[in-house]
Structures are given as structure tokens and as C-alpha cells.
Amino acid sequence: MGNPAPLKLADPLVAEGVRHTLAAYTRALDSGRLDELIGLFTPEGRSELPRMEPAVGHAALRTLYAPLMADHPQRHVVVDTVVTRRDDGRALATSTLLWINARDHAWVV
């Protein structure tokens, strides 16, 4: 298999900022605060969710996320986030997501 290339880890302040933004994103999504969620994106921000068309810009992001706002308790648990720097100067974050929601008075993974 060979040795994998070493990770180019992002600056610790950048990594912490990315983790903070991910936490704010999941908190807004889980709390049904659409305006707060959209505010985390730049005006030309982009979101790509599995099995959905990408959304670019605040209006498209609002259209994407409005139907995803929870009508019941839910939590997105983001763990093991690794933030690396790319050659073009941007950062790339990779995480594991655990989604749990409450249905019929029980939490379901």
C-alpha cells in the first residue's frame, strides 16, 4: 500500500474557526433558525447535500434548507473533523456526521 502522503494540516486558528462554524451550522439547523443558518454563508456561498442539487447564493440556500428545518427534535453530531490546507490556499474540512432525531418519544439514529 505504501506510505500515505502526510496531511497538510491547516493553521490551528483556521481549524478552530472551521469547527466553530460547523457547530453554529448544526445548532441553527437543529433549532430551526433558517436566517441564522443562511447568515453563515457568504452571499455567493455554496452547499452540496447528498442526493440534492447544489445551491449557490442566499436565495438558493434558503430554498434548499427551508424544507429541512426540523419539525421535531433532532441533533447533528459532528466528530473527528480534520481541517487541511489545499495548495490553492483554501481549507478543506472532513468530518463524520451522526444524525439523531426524536420520533414517537424516542431518539433514533
XYZ file of all heavy atoms in Angstrom:
840
model
N 0.815 -1.181 0.000
C 0.000 0.000 0.000
C 0.865 1.253 0.000
O 0.427 2.299 -0.431
C -0.916 0.015 1.206
C -2.042 -0.994 1.120
S -3.199 -0.877 2.487
C -4.012 0.665 2.130
N 2.053 1.192 0.505
C 2.913 2.367 0.535
C 2.536 3.318 1.659
O 1.530 3.152 2.325
N 3.367 4.292 1.850
C 3.091 5.284 2.887
C 2.229 6.399 2.301
O 2.547 6.952 1.258
C 4.406 5.879 3.415
C 5.203 4.865 4.193
O 4.628 3.960 4.791
N 6.509 4.997 4.181
N 1.146 6.766 3.001
C 0.325 7.875 2.503
C 1.071 9.191 2.667
O 1.934 9.338 3.535
C -0.920 7.828 3.399
C -0.475 7.118 4.641
C 0.623 6.180 4.218
N 0.736 10.154 1.814
C 1.349 11.481 1.921
C 0.919 12.112 3.241
O -0.211 11.925 3.687
C 0.905 12.353 0.755
N 1.823 12.837 3.889
C 1.445 13.474 5.156
C 0.373 14.531 4.919
O 0.338 15.184 3.877
C 2.752 14.106 5.639
C 3.620 14.217 4.435
C 3.187 13.133 3.490
N -0.525 14.663 5.892
C -1.572 15.682 5.811
C -0.962 17.066 5.931
O -0.046 17.281 6.722
C -2.584 15.492 6.945
C -3.508 14.302 6.869
C -4.380 14.233 8.120
C -4.384 14.380 5.642
N -1.472 17.993 5.166
C -1.074 19.390 5.299
C -2.121 20.049 6.195
O -3.129 20.567 5.705
C -1.039 20.078 3.942
C -0.047 19.505 2.977
C -0.135 20.311 1.680
C 0.230 19.455 0.503
N -0.008 20.147 -0.766
N -1.906 19.973 7.492
C -2.894 20.490 8.427
C -2.994 22.004 8.330
O -2.002 22.703 8.124
C -2.547 20.071 9.857
C -2.612 18.570 10.127
C -2.176 18.265 11.551
C -4.012 18.022 9.871
N -4.221 22.498 8.485
C -4.463 23.939 8.458
C -3.919 24.568 9.733
O -3.729 23.903 10.755
C -5.957 24.204 8.339
N -3.694 25.861 9.668
C -3.294 26.633 10.833
C -4.310 26.379 11.948
O -5.515 26.304 11.692
C -3.278 28.119 10.446
C -2.957 29.002 11.615
O -3.913 29.370 12.349
O -1.779 29.334 11.793
N -3.862 26.220 13.197
C -4.793 25.919 14.293
C -5.926 26.939 14.441
O -7.054 26.565 14.763
C -3.902 25.909 15.533
C -2.547 25.566 15.021
C -2.471 26.186 13.652
N -5.668 28.212 14.188
C -6.743 29.213 14.283
C -7.773 29.023 13.170
O -8.977 29.186 13.400
C -6.170 30.626 14.250
C -5.389 31.050 15.493
C -4.789 32.441 15.295
C -6.281 31.027 16.723
N -7.318 28.671 11.993
C -8.237 28.394 10.890
C -9.067 27.156 11.226
O -10.291 27.149 11.065
C -7.473 28.196 9.563
C -8.394 27.686 8.463
C -6.796 29.490 9.148
N -8.418 26.114 11.707
C -9.122 24.878 12.048
C -10.177 25.123 13.122
O -11.305 24.622 13.027
C -8.124 23.818 12.507
N -9.841 25.910 14.128
C -10.814 26.196 15.189
C -11.977 27.011 14.642
O -13.131 26.788 15.012
C -10.148 26.934 16.352
C -11.059 27.139 17.535
C -11.646 25.858 18.109
O -11.041 24.766 17.976
O -12.742 25.933 18.699
N -11.700 27.942 13.742
C -12.771 28.721 13.121
C -13.707 27.841 12.303
O -14.931 28.022 12.332
N -13.149 26.880 11.595
C -13.969 25.946 10.813
C -14.835 25.112 11.753
O -16.040 24.946 11.525
C -13.083 25.043 9.927
C -13.893 23.894 9.329
C -12.420 25.859 8.830
N -14.261 24.595 12.823
C -15.035 23.790 13.781
C -16.147 24.616 14.423
O -17.262 24.133 14.628
C -14.116 23.185 14.829
C -13.250 22.070 14.286
C -12.424 21.396 15.394
N -11.492 20.488 14.804
C -10.199 20.776 14.576
N -9.693 21.945 14.921
N -9.407 19.879 14.014
N -15.854 25.877 14.746
C -16.860 26.761 15.331
C -18.006 26.981 14.336
O -19.183 26.961 14.716
C -16.217 28.096 15.725
C -17.195 29.086 16.250
N -17.682 29.041 17.534
C -17.790 30.143 15.653
C -18.538 30.015 17.707
N -18.624 30.708 16.580
N -17.674 27.186 13.066
C -18.698 27.403 12.043
C -19.547 26.151 11.856
O -20.778 26.241 11.712
C -18.045 27.825 10.716
O -17.276 29.014 10.958
C -19.072 28.092 9.641
N -18.929 24.972 11.878
C -19.697 23.728 11.784
C -20.668 23.590 12.960
O -21.819 23.174 12.786
C -18.760 22.513 11.747
C -18.021 22.272 10.446
C -16.950 21.201 10.629
C -18.983 21.886 9.344
N -20.213 23.950 14.147
C -21.087 23.884 15.326
C -22.249 24.865 15.197
O -23.400 24.529 15.509
C -20.279 24.166 16.592
N -21.975 26.079 14.732
C -23.036 27.071 14.554
C -24.034 26.604 13.489
O -25.249 26.792 13.632
C -22.428 28.427 14.174
N -23.529 25.980 12.437
C -24.373 25.451 11.355
C -25.330 24.390 11.898
O -26.536 24.449 11.684
C -23.465 24.884 10.269
C -24.135 24.081 9.187
C -24.569 24.685 8.015
C -24.294 22.704 9.311
C -25.166 23.952 6.998
C -24.883 21.957 8.315
C -25.316 22.576 7.163
O -25.905 21.834 6.169
N -24.792 23.409 12.615
C -25.657 22.330 13.110
C -26.618 22.844 14.175
O -27.763 22.410 14.235
C -24.842 21.138 13.649
O -23.985 21.574 14.697
C -24.028 20.493 12.550
N -26.168 23.782 15.009
C -27.048 24.345 16.038
C -28.225 25.078 15.382
O -29.363 24.914 15.797
C -26.254 25.291 16.941
C -27.020 25.913 18.067
C -27.469 24.919 19.085
N -26.327 24.230 19.629
C -26.287 23.672 20.819
N -27.314 23.729 21.608
N -25.219 23.035 21.227
N -27.944 25.885 14.358
C -29.015 26.613 13.667
C -29.957 25.643 12.956
O -31.185 25.793 13.029
C -28.412 27.607 12.677
N -29.404 24.641 12.281
C -30.223 23.658 11.577
C -31.110 22.899 12.549
O -32.316 22.741 12.325
C -29.317 22.697 10.797
C -29.992 21.655 9.920
C -30.837 22.301 8.833
C -28.935 20.747 9.286
N -30.537 22.434 13.649
C -31.296 21.645 14.622
C -32.326 22.473 15.387
O -33.303 21.937 15.891
C -30.351 20.969 15.617
C -29.520 19.870 14.976
O -29.889 19.402 13.885
O -28.505 19.488 15.574
N -32.105 23.782 15.467
C -33.024 24.659 16.202
C -34.049 25.317 15.287
O -34.874 26.099 15.763
C -32.223 25.742 16.928
O -31.304 25.151 17.822
N -33.979 25.050 13.994
C -34.937 25.610 13.064
C -34.750 27.100 12.798
O -35.695 27.782 12.428
N -33.529 27.606 12.965
C -33.256 29.033 12.775
C -32.665 29.248 11.374
O -31.445 29.312 11.190
C -32.333 29.532 13.876
C -32.993 29.425 15.253
C -32.242 30.158 16.339
N -30.858 29.771 16.477
C -30.371 29.004 17.462
N -31.169 28.524 18.381
N -29.086 28.732 17.518
N -33.547 29.354 10.397
C -33.150 29.427 8.990
C -32.325 30.672 8.700
O -31.294 30.585 8.020
C -34.384 29.377 8.091
C -34.140 29.392 6.588
C -33.272 28.210 6.158
C -35.462 29.372 5.844
N -32.747 31.839 9.186
C -31.993 33.067 8.914
C -30.570 32.980 9.461
O -29.621 33.419 8.814
C -32.699 34.287 9.505
C -33.981 34.615 8.775
O -34.118 34.234 7.596
O -34.858 35.259 9.388
N -30.427 32.414 10.645
C -29.097 32.252 11.245
C -28.239 31.304 10.416
O -27.053 31.552 10.186
C -29.258 31.717 12.667
C -28.000 31.679 13.475
C -28.279 31.225 14.906
O -29.244 31.715 15.515
O -27.527 30.359 15.384
N -28.843 30.235 9.939
C -28.127 29.263 9.107
C -27.648 29.916 7.811
O -26.473 29.808 7.456
C -29.034 28.071 8.792
C -28.435 27.003 7.886
C -27.408 26.189 8.635
C -29.508 26.104 7.332
N -28.527 30.620 7.123
C -28.164 31.264 5.861
C -27.082 32.316 6.094
O -26.184 32.495 5.279
C -29.407 31.894 5.190
C -30.475 30.839 4.904
C -29.017 32.636 3.906
C -30.029 29.645 4.111
N -27.124 32.997 7.237
C -26.139 34.014 7.558
C -24.724 33.481 7.723
O -23.767 34.257 7.697
N -24.567 32.190 7.884
C -23.233 31.594 7.995
C -22.521 31.507 6.641
O -21.321 31.300 6.590
C -23.323 30.196 8.618
C -23.772 30.156 10.075
C -24.097 28.736 10.483
C -22.707 30.759 10.970
N -23.274 31.661 5.566
C -22.724 31.573 4.218
C -22.443 32.968 3.679
O -23.171 33.911 3.956
C -23.723 30.882 3.276
C -23.924 29.420 3.548
C -24.847 28.989 4.493
C -23.202 28.466 2.848
C -25.043 27.640 4.739
C -23.393 27.112 3.084
C -24.310 26.700 4.038
N -21.401 33.092 2.873
C -21.159 34.340 2.156
C -22.270 34.501 1.115
O -22.970 33.528 0.799
C -19.791 34.314 1.445
O -19.799 33.274 0.465
C -18.648 34.110 2.431
N -22.450 35.708 0.553
C -23.505 35.889 -0.446
C -23.401 34.923 -1.627
O -24.415 34.553 -2.211
C -23.319 37.340 -0.902
C -22.727 38.019 0.283
C -21.804 36.987 0.905
N -22.198 34.485 -1.958
C -22.036 33.515 -3.052
C -21.760 32.105 -2.512
O -21.281 31.228 -3.233
C -20.920 33.954 -4.007
C -19.531 33.948 -3.410
C -19.203 35.172 -2.531
O -19.976 36.130 -2.495
O -18.171 35.136 -1.859
N -22.105 31.882 -1.240
C -21.860 30.589 -0.597
C -22.561 29.442 -1.304
O -23.564 29.618 -1.991
N -22.020 28.252 -1.115
C -22.493 27.058 -1.819
C -22.694 25.922 -0.825
O -21.907 25.746 0.105
C -21.436 26.661 -2.855
C -21.726 25.416 -3.627
C -20.546 25.098 -4.561
N -20.842 23.950 -5.370
C -21.305 24.012 -6.612
N -21.508 25.169 -7.197
N -21.552 22.911 -7.287
N -23.739 25.139 -1.037
C -23.978 23.946 -0.240
C -24.309 22.799 -1.173
O -25.116 22.948 -2.093
C -25.140 24.164 0.742
O -25.328 23.008 1.534
N -23.660 21.664 -0.919
C -23.926 20.451 -1.691
C -24.286 19.356 -0.709
O -23.440 18.890 0.047
C -22.695 20.046 -2.506
C -22.326 21.033 -3.581
C -21.161 20.570 -4.439
O -21.062 19.348 -4.711
O -20.348 21.425 -4.810
N -25.544 18.959 -0.706
C -26.013 17.895 0.164
C -26.235 16.637 -0.661
O -26.594 16.730 -1.843
C -27.314 18.314 0.855
C -27.225 19.566 1.731
C -28.601 19.925 2.288
C -26.226 19.381 2.853
N -26.033 15.465 -0.058
C -26.204 14.211 -0.810
C -27.584 14.116 -1.458
O -28.594 14.486 -0.861
C -26.026 13.130 0.264
C -25.231 13.792 1.336
C -25.645 15.233 1.328
N -27.599 13.657 -2.674
C -28.821 13.416 -3.447
C -29.648 14.680 -3.692
O -30.853 14.606 -3.915
C -29.671 12.326 -2.784
C -28.968 10.970 -2.735
C -29.797 9.886 -2.090
N -30.231 10.163 -0.742
C -29.500 10.003 0.364
N -28.271 9.572 0.276
N -30.002 10.261 1.549
N -29.008 15.853 -3.624
C -29.699 17.115 -3.898
C -28.826 17.962 -4.810
O -27.608 17.832 -4.802
C -29.984 17.865 -2.601
C -30.846 17.095 -1.628
S -31.072 18.008 -0.112
C -32.816 18.260 -0.196
N -29.461 18.815 -5.582
C -28.726 19.730 -6.450
C -27.985 20.756 -5.602
O -28.510 21.206 -4.578
C -29.689 20.441 -7.401
C -30.289 19.537 -8.459
C -29.239 18.973 -9.396
O -28.352 19.735 -9.831
O -29.298 17.766 -9.684
N -26.782 21.168 -6.008
C -26.069 22.208 -5.269
C -26.865 23.518 -5.257
O -27.592 23.822 -6.206
C -24.763 22.382 -6.049
C -24.619 21.143 -6.862
C -26.008 20.663 -7.140
N -26.723 24.266 -4.181
C -27.362 25.572 -4.057
C -26.265 26.619 -3.916
O -25.344 26.453 -3.113
C -28.282 25.598 -2.844
N -26.368 27.708 -4.678
C -25.376 28.778 -4.646
C -26.103 30.102 -4.422
O -27.046 30.424 -5.159
C -24.568 28.843 -5.959
C -23.536 29.960 -5.896
C -23.887 27.503 -6.237
N -25.665 30.847 -3.409
C -26.268 32.139 -3.101
C -27.358 32.013 -2.045
O -27.944 30.946 -1.863
N -27.603 33.107 -1.347
C -28.547 33.089 -0.223
C -29.953 32.645 -0.618
O -30.582 31.867 0.108
C -28.576 34.451 0.461
C -27.388 34.689 1.329
N -27.165 35.880 1.959
C -26.349 33.898 1.694
C -26.054 35.820 2.662
N -25.531 34.620 2.507
N -30.469 33.110 -1.761
C -31.825 32.724 -2.163
C -31.907 31.214 -2.415
O -32.847 30.547 -1.948
C -32.256 33.498 -3.405
N -30.939 30.669 -3.115
C -30.934 29.226 -3.391
C -30.721 28.423 -2.115
O -31.321 27.352 -1.932
C -29.858 28.895 -4.418
N -29.880 28.931 -1.217
C -29.649 28.240 0.058
C -30.936 28.216 0.884
O -31.267 27.207 1.511
C -28.524 28.922 0.841
C -27.135 28.755 0.230
C -26.161 29.750 0.852
C -26.631 27.325 0.405
N -31.673 29.316 0.880
C -32.941 29.370 1.617
C -33.918 28.339 1.047
O -34.582 27.616 1.797
C -33.517 30.782 1.532
C -34.760 30.997 2.364
C -35.135 32.461 2.423
N -34.102 33.266 3.042
C -33.891 33.367 4.348
N -34.649 32.678 5.179
N -32.933 34.127 4.824
N -33.973 28.225 -0.269
C -34.850 27.242 -0.911
C -34.438 25.821 -0.544
O -35.278 24.957 -0.310
C -34.825 27.426 -2.444
O -35.294 28.755 -2.748
C -35.674 26.410 -3.155
N -33.136 25.577 -0.491
C -32.624 24.254 -0.140
C -32.946 23.888 1.306
O -33.436 22.797 1.593
C -31.102 24.208 -0.354
C -30.391 22.946 0.137
C -30.765 21.736 -0.712
C -28.881 23.157 0.118
N -32.655 24.809 2.232
C -32.735 24.473 3.650
C -34.119 24.627 4.270
O -34.401 23.964 5.276
C -31.720 25.303 4.445
C -30.316 24.774 4.306
C -29.380 25.429 3.524
C -29.926 23.606 4.945
C -28.089 24.946 3.382
C -28.645 23.105 4.814
C -27.732 23.784 4.025
O -26.464 23.285 3.896
N -34.999 25.459 3.720
C -36.313 25.691 4.342
C -37.068 24.385 4.611
O -37.563 24.176 5.724
C -37.146 26.656 3.507
N -37.136 23.460 3.652
C -37.864 22.219 3.942
C -37.116 21.265 4.889
O -37.685 20.293 5.364
C -38.053 21.569 2.567
C -37.198 22.300 1.618
C -36.752 23.565 2.253
N -35.834 21.553 5.150
C -35.054 20.669 6.026
C -35.112 21.090 7.491
O -34.577 20.388 8.356
C -33.587 20.641 5.571
C -33.333 20.164 4.142
C -31.853 20.214 3.819
C -33.894 18.771 3.935
N -35.739 22.240 7.759
C -35.845 22.691 9.145
C -36.688 21.693 9.923
O -37.750 21.271 9.465
C -36.486 24.083 9.214
C -35.630 25.187 8.626
S -34.198 25.602 9.668
C -32.851 24.913 8.723
N -36.213 21.302 11.062
C -36.846 20.233 11.841
C -38.204 20.662 12.378
O -38.368 21.770 12.877
C -35.936 19.826 12.987
N -39.168 19.769 12.298
C -40.450 19.977 12.948
C -40.565 19.073 14.182
O -41.620 18.917 14.756
C -41.603 19.716 11.977
C -41.610 18.292 11.438
O -40.657 17.535 11.722
O -42.570 17.937 10.727
N -39.436 18.480 14.545
C -39.333 17.621 15.722
C -37.873 17.695 16.207
O -36.999 18.107 15.448
C -39.725 16.184 15.379
C -38.884 15.584 14.291
N -39.108 15.849 12.951
C -37.802 14.785 14.336
C -38.194 15.211 12.237
N -37.391 14.568 13.039
N -37.597 17.306 17.439
C -36.212 17.388 17.930
C -35.245 16.539 17.091
O -35.555 15.411 16.723
C -36.298 16.847 19.354
C -37.718 17.059 19.754
C -38.519 16.874 18.485
N -34.111 17.123 16.797
C -33.051 16.408 16.077
C -31.708 16.987 16.500
O -31.626 18.102 16.989
C -33.220 16.536 14.565
C -32.969 17.936 14.035
C -33.018 17.995 12.515
O -33.425 17.050 11.841
N -32.594 19.099 11.952
N -30.649 16.225 16.299
C -29.292 16.695 16.557
C -28.366 16.123 15.502
O -28.422 14.933 15.174
C -28.786 16.256 17.943
C -29.458 16.948 19.097
C -29.091 18.427 19.130
N -29.822 19.135 20.149
C -30.890 19.893 19.936
N -31.381 20.023 18.728
N -31.486 20.520 20.919
N -27.526 16.993 14.963
C -26.434 16.599 14.078
C -25.173 16.622 14.946
O -24.801 17.682 15.452
C -26.282 17.575 12.919
C -27.390 17.491 11.924
N -28.624 18.083 12.110
C -27.447 16.879 10.708
C -29.381 17.846 11.063
N -28.699 17.116 10.194
N -24.551 15.497 15.123
C -23.354 15.395 15.942
C -22.162 15.255 14.999
O -22.039 14.260 14.279
C -23.428 14.189 16.913
C -22.195 14.130 17.784
C -24.708 14.262 17.759
N -21.298 16.258 14.989
C -20.139 16.285 14.093
C -18.903 15.927 14.909
O -18.627 16.553 15.935
C -19.966 17.681 13.451
C -18.770 17.700 12.518
C -21.238 18.081 12.708
N -18.176 14.909 14.457
C -16.989 14.458 15.197
C -15.806 14.283 14.246
O -15.954 14.273 13.039
C -17.264 13.136 15.957
C -18.316 13.337 17.023
C -17.684 12.029 15.003
N -14.673 14.147 14.812
C -13.372 13.896 14.176
C -13.114 14.772 12.954
O -12.639 14.311 11.919
C -13.146 12.405 13.886
C -13.989 11.791 12.781
O -14.685 12.525 12.070
O -13.932 10.570 12.623
N -13.401 16.062 13.095
C -13.163 16.999 11.997
C -11.664 17.233 11.817
O -10.970 17.596 12.759
C -13.870 18.340 12.254
O -15.277 18.091 12.376
C -13.620 19.334 11.134
N -11.194 17.007 10.614
C -9.805 17.270 10.255
C -9.819 18.385 9.211
O -10.512 18.275 8.198
C -9.112 16.015 9.689
C -7.706 16.338 9.214
C -9.087 14.909 10.736
N -9.081 19.449 9.476
C -9.023 20.578 8.559
C -7.629 20.621 7.953
O -6.633 20.727 8.670
C -9.345 21.907 9.277
C -9.368 23.055 8.271
C -10.676 21.821 10.022
N -7.581 20.513 6.634
C -6.305 20.537 5.931
C -6.266 21.766 5.029
O -7.293 22.358 4.705
C -6.107 19.271 5.077
O -7.205 19.129 4.174
C -6.005 18.039 5.957
N -5.062 22.144 4.654
C -4.916 23.270 3.725
C -4.655 22.709 2.340
O -3.961 21.713 2.167
C -3.821 24.229 4.167
C -2.471 23.625 4.319
C -1.492 24.643 4.917
N -0.366 23.957 5.498
C 0.705 23.567 4.818
N 0.803 23.841 3.546
N 1.677 22.926 5.415
N -5.251 23.378 1.384
C -5.085 22.973 -0.002
C -4.017 23.840 -0.649
O -3.671 24.892 -0.139
C -6.413 23.106 -0.740
C -7.446 22.143 -0.190
C -8.807 22.343 -0.750
N -8.805 22.749 -2.146
C -9.800 22.521 -2.995
N -10.854 21.880 -2.591
N -9.745 22.947 -4.235
N -3.505 23.382 -1.763
C -2.457 24.126 -2.464
C -2.924 25.499 -2.945
O -2.120 26.402 -3.115
C -1.925 23.315 -3.647
C -1.148 22.086 -3.184
O -0.645 22.093 -2.037
O -1.057 21.121 -3.958
N -4.251 25.669 -3.128
C -4.768 26.961 -3.600
C -5.035 27.935 -2.444
O -5.611 28.991 -2.636
C -6.026 26.768 -4.439
C -7.167 26.135 -3.662
O -7.045 25.935 -2.431
O -8.206 25.841 -4.280
N -4.630 27.559 -1.223
C -4.782 28.448 -0.072
C -6.076 28.266 0.683
O -6.260 28.856 1.748
N -6.998 27.472 0.171
C -8.260 27.230 0.872
C -8.093 26.082 1.858
O -7.107 25.352 1.828
C -9.367 26.909 -0.122
C -9.675 28.079 -1.040
C -10.856 27.810 -1.933
N -10.600 26.680 -2.813
C -11.535 26.056 -3.511
N -12.782 26.438 -3.430
N -11.222 25.048 -4.297
N -9.074 25.944 2.737
C -9.079 24.852 3.707
C -10.137 23.832 3.294
O -11.139 24.175 2.672
C -9.381 25.378 5.106
N -9.895 22.587 3.645
C -10.840 21.515 3.392
C -11.110 20.825 4.725
O -10.170 20.404 5.410
C -10.263 20.503 2.391
C -11.093 19.243 2.163
C -12.408 19.588 1.468
C -10.302 18.235 1.350
N -12.373 20.732 5.101
C -12.749 20.063 6.347
C -13.455 18.750 6.020
O -14.332 18.709 5.165
C -13.670 20.956 7.173
N -13.061 17.711 6.706
C -13.695 16.408 6.568
C -14.119 15.953 7.955
O -13.324 15.992 8.897
C -12.725 15.387 5.956
O -12.230 15.907 4.725
C -13.404 14.061 5.719
N -15.389 15.550 8.082
C -15.938 15.158 9.381
C -16.782 13.908 9.228
O -17.184 13.540 8.127
C -16.856 16.266 9.934
O -16.210 17.486 10.046
N -17.091 13.313 10.356
C -18.091 12.261 10.428
C -19.331 12.882 11.050
O -19.235 13.638 12.023
C -17.594 11.081 11.284
O -16.422 10.548 10.668
C -18.649 10.007 11.408
N -20.485 12.575 10.481
C -21.742 13.134 10.964
C -22.640 12.017 11.467
O -22.867 11.022 10.772
C -22.450 13.885 9.830
C -23.851 14.377 10.131
C -23.810 15.516 11.139
C -24.535 14.811 8.854
N -23.149 12.187 12.669
C -24.144 11.287 13.239
C -25.420 12.097 13.381
O -25.419 13.168 14.007
C -23.683 10.775 14.609
C -24.684 9.956 15.399
C -24.988 8.646 14.689
C -24.156 9.690 16.788
N -26.505 11.660 12.762
C -27.773 12.380 12.821
C -28.747 11.570 13.642
O -28.987 10.394 13.357
C -28.305 12.603 11.411
C -29.624 13.310 11.373
C -29.948 14.499 11.953
C -30.804 12.861 10.715
N -31.243 14.832 11.687
C -31.796 13.830 10.919
C -31.113 11.740 9.960
C -33.087 13.715 10.407
C -32.399 11.630 9.443
C -33.359 12.611 9.672
N -29.277 12.180 14.671
C -30.280 11.524 15.501
C -31.514 12.414 15.553
O -31.420 13.636 15.503
C -29.760 11.200 16.926
C -29.270 12.461 17.630
C -28.654 10.164 16.875
C -28.855 12.221 19.069
N -32.683 11.784 15.622
C -33.913 12.570 15.723
C -34.906 11.857 16.619
O -34.817 10.641 16.820
C -34.498 12.871 14.333
C -34.897 11.640 13.581
O -35.885 11.019 13.910
N -34.150 11.284 12.556
N -35.805 12.625 17.168
C -36.804 12.087 18.091
C -38.093 11.793 17.332
O -38.659 12.683 16.709
C -37.053 13.060 19.222
N -38.513 10.582 17.409
C -39.783 10.154 16.832
C -40.501 9.285 17.861
O -39.875 8.418 18.484
C -39.559 9.331 15.557
C -38.916 10.087 14.433
C -39.913 10.972 13.760
N -39.273 11.611 12.612
C -39.899 12.437 11.816
N -41.144 12.735 12.027
N -39.267 12.981 10.815
N -41.755 9.547 18.046
C -42.563 8.746 18.980
C -41.904 8.629 20.356
O -41.801 7.547 20.921
C -42.835 7.355 18.405
C -43.591 7.423 17.093
O -44.453 8.300 16.959
O -43.292 6.620 16.198
N -41.390 9.753 20.861
C -40.800 9.857 22.213
C -39.522 9.042 22.391
O -39.172 8.668 23.506
C -41.825 9.442 23.271
C -43.121 10.187 23.164
N -43.220 11.519 23.468
C -44.349 9.799 22.761
C -44.469 11.919 23.265
N -45.166 10.889 22.823
N -38.838 8.744 21.285
C -37.557 8.022 21.387
C -36.576 8.617 20.400
O -36.946 9.078 19.322
C -37.762 6.540 21.089
N -35.307 8.622 20.778
C -34.247 9.091 19.878
C -33.870 7.952 18.939
O -33.695 6.806 19.359
C -33.020 9.540 20.664
C -33.230 10.869 21.336
C -33.572 11.060 22.639
C -33.140 12.153 20.743
N -33.700 12.412 22.885
C -33.432 13.107 21.745
C -32.854 12.606 19.465
C -33.445 14.473 21.502
C -32.855 13.964 19.218
C -33.148 14.882 20.230
N -33.747 8.281 17.655
C -33.417 7.289 16.624
C -32.198 7.777 15.874
O -32.111 8.946 15.497
C -34.596 7.118 15.646
C -34.252 6.128 14.543
C -35.854 6.713 16.380
N -31.213 6.886 15.655
C -30.025 7.234 14.891
C -30.343 7.135 13.413
O -30.946 6.208 12.959
C -28.843 6.304 15.228
C -27.632 6.622 14.378
C -28.514 6.391 16.697
